[in-house]
Amino acid sequence: MQHLLKLLDLTGDEIIGLLNMADQLKYETKNGVEHHHLKGKTLGLIFTKSSTRTRVSFEVGMVQLGGYPLFLSANDLQLGRGEPIEDTAKVLSRYIDGIMIRTFKQSDVEDLAKYGSIPVINGLTDSFHPCQVLADLMTIREHKKVLSGLKMCFVGDGHNMANSLTVGGLKVGMEVVMAMPKGYDKLHPDVMAFAKDNPAFKITDDIHAGVKDADVVVTDVWTSMDQGDQAEARRKAFAGFQVNDSLMTHAKPDAIVLHCLPAHRGEEITAEIMDAHPEIIDEAENRLHAQKAVLVTLLKDK
């Protein structure tokens, strides 16, 4: 494992290995055991998209590991203002030990890895969100003790979370159902090529059938990448796809609910469901531990 660009690049065993390390690092953190695996290492944090959880979890995680996080906003870089990614990647590779980037285009992440000589971590693109899904899988295993054989239903749009959940879930042996309105059910072509022939994968516009007997129900905001009329059209299309008390009667009685946050209470999920499922906050915390496992795997001994 040289980079974390998308979960398609990892094997199921590599994903489980990261989760095992994350569990250990979380245990040590909770018990006051210092683990300065990355003493002397510097991680550059490139943000062309704003963030709360991604920035805080990577900065705190790097400090807990004994390293130094260097925040680089779009205003701090020539990237996007005339300097090619190729040059940025080569120069940063001479200064720092790794790059985390949260941006729009997946190609920017791939190009940083292609032209640089240091590990690159995808903190989020419009196509994939591997760090979040590692945290999701970690949280599911904490609450359910296993991953293989569980049914996970994602209720929402065919965007970055749906793409990464599909890949991550299938690679660890889960049944994965995407419940999406017609017209909003297009996953990334590479994800469809990976998943389409897997009998454990399904896309449906029947939300009740999708959630039926689910062990895990996952949702996300409907309009995170839309504005104005486009966002309003999406809200109308998704009106019947809210995770609420009525929908959850179709899932297993002990089903857990996940949301990568921030949530629009009263839109994709009700406030009652948010407050009844504290595992959503566990999931947010586990971004820290899952990402620390990625950092140790990629940067230690490099």
Side-chain angles (χ1 to χ4, degrees), residues 42-46 68-72 92 96-101:
T42 300
L43 179 71
L45 304 173
I46 299 176
Y68 181 78
L70 180 64
F71 177 74
L72 301 168
L92 289 180
I96 58 182
D97 301 290
I99 296 171
M100 189 291 304
I101 179 169

Side-chain angles (χ1 to χ4, degrees), residues 46-50 72-74 77 79 101-104 108:
I46 299 176
F47 285 85
T48 62
K49 278 187 174 184
S50 60
L72 301 168
S73 73
L77 298 171
L79 188 66
I101 179 169
R102 182 181 174 96
T103 190
F104 296 89
D108 288 350

Side-chain angles (χ1 to χ4, degrees), residues 26-216:
K26 182 174 183 177
Y27 172 84
E28 292 175 3
T29 298
K30 296 294 186 182
N31 288 276
V33 179
E34 293 186 347
H35 37 243
H36 293 166
H37 300 299
L38 301 184
K39 184 177 181 180
K41 301 287 187 178
T42 300
L43 179 71
L45 304 173
I46 299 176
F47 285 85
T48 62
K49 278 187 174 184
S50 60
S51 168
T52 300
R53 279 154 294 278
T54 299
R55 178 176 178 178
V56 173
S57 57
F58 268 108
E59 288 195 0
V60 171
M62 199 63 184
V63 170
Q64 289 181 355
L65 290 167
Y68 181 78
L70 180 64
F71 177 74
L72 301 168
S73 73
N75 294 328
D76 298 323
L77 298 171
Q78 296 299 323
L79 188 66
R81 290 187 289 165
E83 182 171 65
I85 286 180
E86 177 179 358
D87 294 343
T88 298
K90 290 177 179 178
V91 171
L92 289 180
S93 295
R94 300 295 182 94
Y95 295 151
I96 58 182
D97 301 290
I99 296 171
M100 189 291 304
I101 179 169
R102 182 181 174 96
T103 190
F104 296 89
K105 296 188 297 182
Q106 180 69 18
S107 60
D108 288 350
V109 178
E110 304 278 349
D111 284 346
L112 276 174
K114 177 181 178 181
Y115 294 113
S117 57
I118 55 177
V120 174
I121 300 168
N122 177 0
L124 174 142
T125 65
D126 289 350
S127 298
F128 300 105
H129 201 353
C131 290
Q132 179 62 57
V133 171
L134 289 174
D136 291 358
L137 295 174
M138 180 181 179
T139 307
I140 294 167
R141 195 169 69 165
E142 281 183 345
H143 285 265
K144 295 296 184 180
K145 309 306 179 188
V146 297
L147 290 170
S148 181
L150 295 181
K151 177 179 178 180
M152 174 172 61
C153 179
F154 175 77
V155 180
D157 187 16
H159 57 17
N160 50 15
M161 277 300 297
N163 289 326
S164 292
L165 281 167
T166 295
V167 175
L170 292 177
K171 287 203 172 194
V172 298
M174 300 179 76
E175 177 185 354
V176 177
V177 179
M178 297 281 121
M180 302 168 170
K182 289 181 178 178
Y184 295 92
D185 54 357
K186 306 299 183 186
L187 298 182
H188 191 282
D190 292 346
V191 174
M192 287 304 302
F194 165 77
K196 65 180 181 179
D197 296 326
N198 191 322
F201 173 69
K202 182 180 181 180
I203 298 178
T204 181
D205 64 348
D206 185 338
I207 187 173
H208 294 143
V211 171
K212 180 176 173 56
D213 295 328
D215 299 284
V216 185

